Amino acid sequence: MLDRNHLSTSYGHTVEPRKIIHVDMDAFFAAVEQRDHPGLQGQPVIVGGDPAGRGVVATCSYEARRFGIHSAMTAARAKSLCPNAIFIRPRMEAYREASRQIMGMLRSYTSLVEPLSLDEAFLDVSVITANGTLAMDIARDIRQRIKHETGLTASAGVSYNKLLAKLASDWRKPDGLFVIPPEKGQDFLASLPVGKLHGVGPATVKKLAAMGINTVLDLRSASQESLTAQFGKAGLWFYEIARGIDRRPVQPRRQRKSVGTERTFLENLEDTEVMLTTLQQMAEQVAARLQALELAGRTVGVKVRFLNFETVTRARTHAQAIWRATDISACLPGLLEHALSASMAGIRSVRLLGVAVSGLTKIRADLSASGQLSLLEESGTLHETSFDDGR
Ligand code: TTP
Ligand code: MG
């Protein structure tokens, strides 16, 4: 039975103390490479840039970590630490595919999944464990399923807030599971160096060290006043996390499915040329939104609503993701004609038109020297933030 006094209404969907799981894949990019190229298993594998150039290490296998290699180190330095290491260029599409599979699986446990990057996510399982199921058992099941279904290993941490769940997943890496129950939170934190805490970066570590504060236990001895005097609002956060207090909710973000726009007309359109011109203007808007959101998509769709409210969509999928207005526009005549000829009642008078691009991927739009937009794949998940399709 739930104790009513512990029911939190602040997030509307959770229970106190909360049960939070943090899942983080082990050596993610490198693990995908080792899975896909069995010859790399057991080898020091480095995914990243060219060691002969100015590349950096994106990540490396645990075999390579034994040589002191880590993310963000220059590839040249990594090579000097481990001359036998195998260097591989990133294959973002493969990592994204694995990520999609993993995030989809996590969402089969609860909709309260907050992805932080391609390879990690928080789950709030407070409600689904209210029947007595142990969060630890859910975490164990998640790890087994990830291994079984993707051939990759994940580490998981279970605790009563995000701060501790994330520290817990790191604690037994790789291929580990660690639980920090509420009564153990304070002790767990006490001996950690302050730099392990969320939001305490290198500059803060230095400032704290100057105040004689190195461990979380030291931090706990500082008064709230002295911390806020020194760090402003962040000081309050430091004061609280030193005591294991972190109220940040798990914020599920819906995956953006499409970027589109549509218009309803005061007077129905009859002329196909006018419809086409209108659709092309809409394609310009969609292209601008795609570029602002740093997204591209493989599928272009046209939506037509006829005089009698019958609504038809027709879409075309490309081999490559597109984002330019001209590329979107090129599909419009064919799609419009298909849609117009689809009216069951044989009507060609139209009250609404829409254009949307779906099958989205994240891109970074960089204007290169040639003035061409080049697509640089970016790690990260796609989230719906402000989709407005005009409805
Ligand atoms: P991490 O989870 O930080 O690292 P990891 O999964 O490789 O290793 P582990 O979690 O076991 O410590 O990052 C996930 C992926 O993000 C990583 O595989 C590659 C990419 N990445 C970069 O491209 N650059 C970086 O600086 C970091 C930290 C990660
Ligand atoms: Mg990871």
Side-chain angles (χ1 to χ4, degrees):
M1 266 305 273
L2 290 176
D3 178 347
R4 282 268 149 210
N5 295 322
H6 287 133
L7 272 177
S8 160
T9 52
S10 54
Y11 316 125
H13 53 243
T14 196
V15 191
E16 294 286 346
R18 292 179 293 158
K19 302 273 184 355
I20 310 293
I21 300 177
H22 180 254
V23 177
D24 188 323
M25 303 301 295
D26 303 317
F28 185 49
F29 294 2
V32 172
E33 297 303 335
Q34 289 182 317
R35 175 195 68 182
D36 294 349
H37 307 101
L40 298 178
Q41 279 162 23
Q43 303 289 327
V45 172
I46 296 172
V47 179
D50 185 356
R54 302 197 314 178
V56 293
V57 174
T59 192
C60 60
S61 66
Y62 277 79
E63 291 84 353
R65 293 184 197 197
R66 284 190 212 114
F67 295 86
I69 300 167
H70 56 77
S71 295
M73 171 183 280
T74 66
R77 168 124 181 84
K79 180 138 183 102
S80 72
L81 288 171
C82 179
N84 293 330
I86 301 158
F87 284 84
I88 296 181
R89 297 293 165 275
R91 287 186 302 135
M92 291 308 302
E93 196 37 56
Y95 314 144
R96 256 202 297 272
E97 179 51 36
S99 179
R100 271 193 288 269
Q101 212 182 335
I102 294 156
M103 297 302 166
M105 178 197 304
L106 296 180
R107 290 194 179 92
S108 73
Y109 290 86
T110 171
S111 60
L112 295 179
V113 176
E114 178 182 346
L116 298 179
S117 69
L118 283 183
D119 91 320
E120 61 178 309
F122 285 113
L123 288 79
D124 186 331
V125 295
S126 311
V127 170
I128 60 172
T129 52
N131 64 358
T133 309
L134 294 178
M136 181 178 63
D137 289 336
I138 295 175
R140 189 177 285 134
D141 194 67
I142 287 172
R143 284 183 1 92
Q144 277 175 1
R145 272 188 65 195
I146 289 178
K147 196 177 285 184
H148 185 246
E149 292 176 28
T150 69
L152 302 167
T153 64
S155 295
V158 182
S159 198
Y160 55 99
N161 60 37
K162 285 178 162 183
L163 173 84
L164 282 153
K166 187 160 163 121
L167 289 167
S169 74
D170 206 37
W171 203 245
R172 289 282 182 266
K173 249 182 184 303
D175 202 11
L177 171 62
F178 193 65
V179 182
I180 306 174
E183 65 278 13
K184 299 263 178 69
Q186 297 271 3
D187 282 351
F188 179 88
L189 285 167
S191 61
L192 294 182
V194 285
K196 283 271 180 194
L197 298 176
H198 179 86
V200 181
T204 307
V205 169
K206 260 195 189 163
K207 274 195 187 175
L208 287 169
M211 297 164 71
I213 297 171
N214 297 297
T215 66
V216 177
L217 191 62
D218 299 338
L219 182 57
R220 221 174 273 164
S221 67
S223 70
Q224 194 173 316
E225 291 71 31
S226 68
L227 289 172
T228 45
Q230 189 62 232
F231 300 102
K233 215 174 146 192
L236 177 61
W237 168 250
F238 300 156
Y239 181 85
E240 292 195 329
I241 54 176
R243 288 157 181 77
I245 301 167
D246 171 13
R247 299 186 189 84
R248 290 172 301 158
V250 172
Q251 290 180 305
R253 286 171 285 188
R254 268 195 303 147
Q255 280 214 315
R256 176 188 286 280
K257 293 283 193 315
S258 65
V259 172
T261 185
E262 54 186 58
R263 269 173 66 187
T264 303
F265 307 103
L266 294 175
E267 280 181 43
N268 297 326
L269 302 186
E270 313 272 351
D271 182 341
T272 312
E273 282 309 310
V274 174
M275 293 180 205
L276 207 49
T277 311
T278 309
L279 284 172
Q280 272 157 358
Q281 288 164 0
M282 293 163 89
E284 303 269 353
Q285 292 169 12
V286 172
R289 287 250 299 282
L290 284 169
Q291 288 185 30
L293 293 163
E294 301 188 330
L295 293 170
R298 289 179 55 209
T299 303
V300 177
V302 161
K303 178 171 171 180
V304 171
R305 181 166 295 146
F306 296 102
L307 184 64
N308 62 349
F309 282 93
E310 184 187 351
T311 305
V312 173
T313 57
R314 286 293 176 269
R316 192 177 139 194
T317 298
H318 296 71
Q320 285 193 323
I322 61 172
W323 76 98
R324 286 192 186 90
T326 47
D327 293 332
I328 300 169
S329 289
C331 313
L332 297 176
L335 288 171
L336 177 63
E337 195 42 50
H338 268 108
L340 289 178
S341 54
S343 164
M344 309 260 264
I347 298 172
R348 288 180 76 99
S349 182
V350 165
R351 56 186 302 126
L352 173 147
L353 287 173
V355 177
V357 172
S358 56
L360 299 174
T361 30
K362 189 85 182 157
I363 54 162
R364 197 163 61 226
D366 271 353
L367 223 36
S368 70
S370 65
Q372 283 284 87
L373 275 170
S374 66
L375 296 189
L376 295 176
E377 312 263 30
E378 225 185 35
S379 56
T381 10
L382 304 178
H383 299 303
E384 173 135 7
T385 44
S386 59
F387 182 41
D388 157 32
D389 64 0
R391 262 171 297 192

